[in-house]
Amino acid sequence: MEGEDMTTNNKEALSIEQGQLKGDQDHEFSLPSAHTIGHDSWQQVGLMLVTSFNCGYILSFSNLMLVPLGWTWGIICLLVVGFYTAYANWLLAAFHFINGQRFIRYRDLMGIFCLFLTLLLGNMGFILLGGRALKEINSEFSDSPLRLQYFIVVTGATYFIYSFLIPTMSAMRRWLGPSTVLTFAYIVILLVVVVKDGKANTKRDYAIHGNKADRVLNAFGAISAIIVCNTSGLLLEIQSTLRKPAVSNMRKALYMQFSVGLVFYYGVSMVGYWAYGSTVSEYLPEELSGPNSVKVLINAAVFLQSIVSQHMFAAPIHETLDTKFLKLETGMNTKENLKRRFYMRALLFSVNSFVTAAFPFMGDFVNLFGSFTLVPLTFVFPSMIFIKVKGKTARLEKNLWHWFNIVIFSLLAVVTTISAVRLIVNNVQKYHFFADT
């Protein structure tokens, strides 16, 4: 029976690769898409979420999440924000179908600007992450390593090649196995070295430094980082790849992320802060005592794993461009579509790599990513959808609850964005454009 369901679901999949542009009514889609829809299992999506959220980004979270908050407020915020983020994603998953239509993209419901800005910032952060990992490897073999910008260019080129060869989110399935091995390999090795360093470090300082204004704004920046740690801002796009029933399958994948995935990305963050205190680096492998071969291995694994992980966060951009500019009536791999896809991917990663090279500050990308874009997408947007769809029939207390979310998290978005912009201004003044950080 399960095999029959799988066959039925596969037949219902909407994909340009099959050259089948079906009607919206037949498939309950609001708009056609160039990428595969309704094809993947919840296990595949759950594994993609676990590995993608345990990418090299987590190596900056000890510094960005816990240093500004300290142990007490840090743990409280990790628990509260993690729970609230899981709830918001669980709620939004229910609105994948509205009035009989299946909405497969955020832009179908709310426009494109906020989502694209979210994804572009996230992709720039990945490019910087990959560049930092490569520079750390170079530093182990040379006393005068090359500038960070060279490695940013190499990273951008590598991501471009992968996105050209693996054009869709569903096409990542063959790469999730190697990505999982790399993810848990570098995490386990990292934790072993960090724990050893922590036991040897008897002068750990957990004090929160700075004046009162700095501490308050940095704390809001930390909340932004915790949000980035837990959510992607592209739940609808991820959910669109799932077989029916899409709502329950998406929630199963979310349970997998917020259990298995969360244990590791929170665990690395807390162990890193425990070992090095408030002086922990923005890129955790810089703190490791050695041996050099271990540092090289960890950074190599981080770089390779990021190639796969970044694709999940960039896939909605590729889908938008492919749907608009490719010839949907033909296959994805026709000569003309390959040429168009090549130019679109090349332009995207060239621009992103240039901006990343000009502003190579990891914390800036993470905090702005979380504040200006992920707070509204994760917390405000689901409550707005609830009020629009169910506001007239829902009980008064439910409507009040969602209006409370809209007001509170809109204010949080403003405050955290101010904190993020302030950090960018300070870093630009402290360093300079194209700094070799």
Side-chain angles (χ1 to χ4, degrees), residues 115-319:
L115 174 63
F116 261 39
L117 184 58
T118 300
L119 301 176
L120 288 171
L121 286 171
N123 187 253
M124 292 174 194
F126 268 106
I127 293 173
L128 179 57
L129 166 70
R132 291 286 290 272
L134 291 178
K135 184 176 180 181
E136 284 298 304
I137 294 173
N138 185 225
S139 299
E140 296 301 322
F141 296 100
S142 173
D143 293 330
S144 302
L146 296 173
R147 289 179 59 85
L148 176 62
Q149 280 69 24
Y150 290 107
F151 301 109
I152 287 174
V153 171
V154 172
T155 302
T158 305
Y159 290 177
F160 155 68
I161 293 170
Y162 183 85
S163 69
F164 176 73
L165 296 175
I166 312 297
T168 69
M169 196 180 293
S170 289
M172 293 171 61
R173 70 177 66 88
R174 294 183 182 89
W175 295 82
L176 292 178
S179 179
T180 302
V181 172
L182 288 169
T183 299
F184 292 108
Y186 91 76
I187 287 177
V188 170
I189 296 171
L190 178 80
L191 288 176
V192 170
V193 178
V194 170
V195 169
K196 178 177 71 71
D197 288 353
K199 291 180 178 179
N201 184 8
T202 59
K203 298 181 180 179
R204 295 187 293 270
D205 174 21
Y206 300 117
I208 302 173
H209 301 288
N211 59 45
K212 187 174 182 179
D214 287 340
R215 291 199 299 270
V216 170
L217 289 174
N218 289 341
F220 281 108
I223 292 173
S224 296
I226 297 173
I227 293 170
V228 173
C229 185
N230 283 286
T231 191
S232 61
L234 44 99
L235 183 137
L236 292 179
E237 285 78 3
I238 295 172
Q239 192 172 6
S240 72
T241 69
L242 281 166
R243 302 167 187 157
K244 294 180 180 179
V247 173
S248 62
N249 281 340
M250 186 68 241
R251 286 176 169 171
K252 290 176 183 177
L254 288 171
Y255 296 149
M256 191 170 175
Q257 176 201 334
F258 285 99
S259 56
V260 178
L262 182 142
V263 166
F264 284 96
Y265 56 72
Y266 272 12
V268 169
S269 303
M270 290 189 287
V271 172
Y273 183 59
W274 164 78
Y276 306 110
S278 59
T279 61
V280 63
S281 172
E282 198 177 77
Y283 184 64
L284 192 56
E286 292 178 345
E287 298 283 0
L288 302 181
S289 61
N292 291 348
S293 58
V294 170
K295 292 184 180 182
V296 170
L297 184 61
I298 289 173
N299 282 290
V302 167
F303 174 76
L304 293 173
Q305 196 266 9
S306 74
I307 298 172
V308 181
S309 295
Q310 63 83 29
H311 194 59
M312 185 190 84
F313 295 91
I317 300 178
H318 302 321
E319 187 274 337

Side-chain angles (χ1 to χ4, degrees), residues 3 30 45 89 102 172 203 208 228 261 280 364 393 435:
S30 58
V45 172
N89 281 280
R102 183 177 185 178
M172 293 171 61
K203 298 181 180 179
I208 302 173
V228 173
V280 63
D364 299 3
T393 57

Side-chain angles (χ1 to χ4, degrees), residues 262-431:
L262 182 142
V263 166
F264 284 96
Y265 56 72
Y266 272 12
V268 169
S269 303
M270 290 189 287
V271 172
Y273 183 59
W274 164 78
Y276 306 110
S278 59
T279 61
V280 63
S281 172
E282 198 177 77
Y283 184 64
L284 192 56
E286 292 178 345
E287 298 283 0
L288 302 181
S289 61
N292 291 348
S293 58
V294 170
K295 292 184 180 182
V296 170
L297 184 61
I298 289 173
N299 282 290
V302 167
F303 174 76
L304 293 173
Q305 196 266 9
S306 74
I307 298 172
V308 181
S309 295
Q310 63 83 29
H311 194 59
M312 185 190 84
F313 295 91
I317 300 178
H318 302 321
E319 187 274 337
T320 300
L321 296 175
D322 291 347
T323 301
K324 184 173 180 61
F325 294 108
L326 297 188
K327 294 183 177 180
L328 299 184
E329 67 276 7
T330 62
M332 177 73 89
N333 295 318
T334 62
K335 184 177 179 180
E336 179 63 24
N337 280 339
L338 283 172
K339 183 172 70 174
R340 294 186 182 194
R341 190 166 86 219
F342 179 91
Y343 289 140
M344 288 187 295
R345 303 291 197 272
L347 178 62
L348 172 66
F349 285 101
S350 295
V351 172
N352 275 8
S353 297
F354 177 81
V355 175
T356 305
F359 298 94
F361 315 120
M362 191 71 180
D364 299 3
F365 287 107
V366 173
N367 287 345
L368 190 60
F369 182 28
S371 60
F372 184 66
T373 57
L374 282 186
V375 171
L377 281 175
T378 303
F379 302 112
V380 178
F381 180 65
S383 289
M384 291 175 63
I385 293 296
F386 180 91
I387 291 172
K388 183 175 179 62
V389 175
K390 297 186 176 182
K392 293 181 180 180
T393 57
R395 296 194 303 271
L396 176 62
E397 59 268 26
K398 282 194 172 183
N399 282 327
L400 289 175
W401 166 250
H402 288 286
W403 274 113
F404 171 81
N405 288 337
I406 291 171
V407 173
I408 292 299
F409 286 105
S410 295
L411 292 174
L412 179 64
V414 172
V415 176
T416 53
T417 299
I418 291 172
S419 172
V421 171
R422 170 179 166 273
L423 179 63
I424 292 173
V425 171
N426 288 344
N427 276 336
V428 170
Q429 291 176 344
K430 181 179 178 181
Y431 299 102

Side-chain angles (χ1 to χ4, degrees), residues 61-70 208 215 218-222 273:
F61 288 145
S62 297
N63 174 281
L64 297 178
M65 297 192 310
L66 292 173
V67 169
L69 294 170
I208 302 173
R215 291 199 299 270
N218 289 341
F220 281 108
Y273 183 59

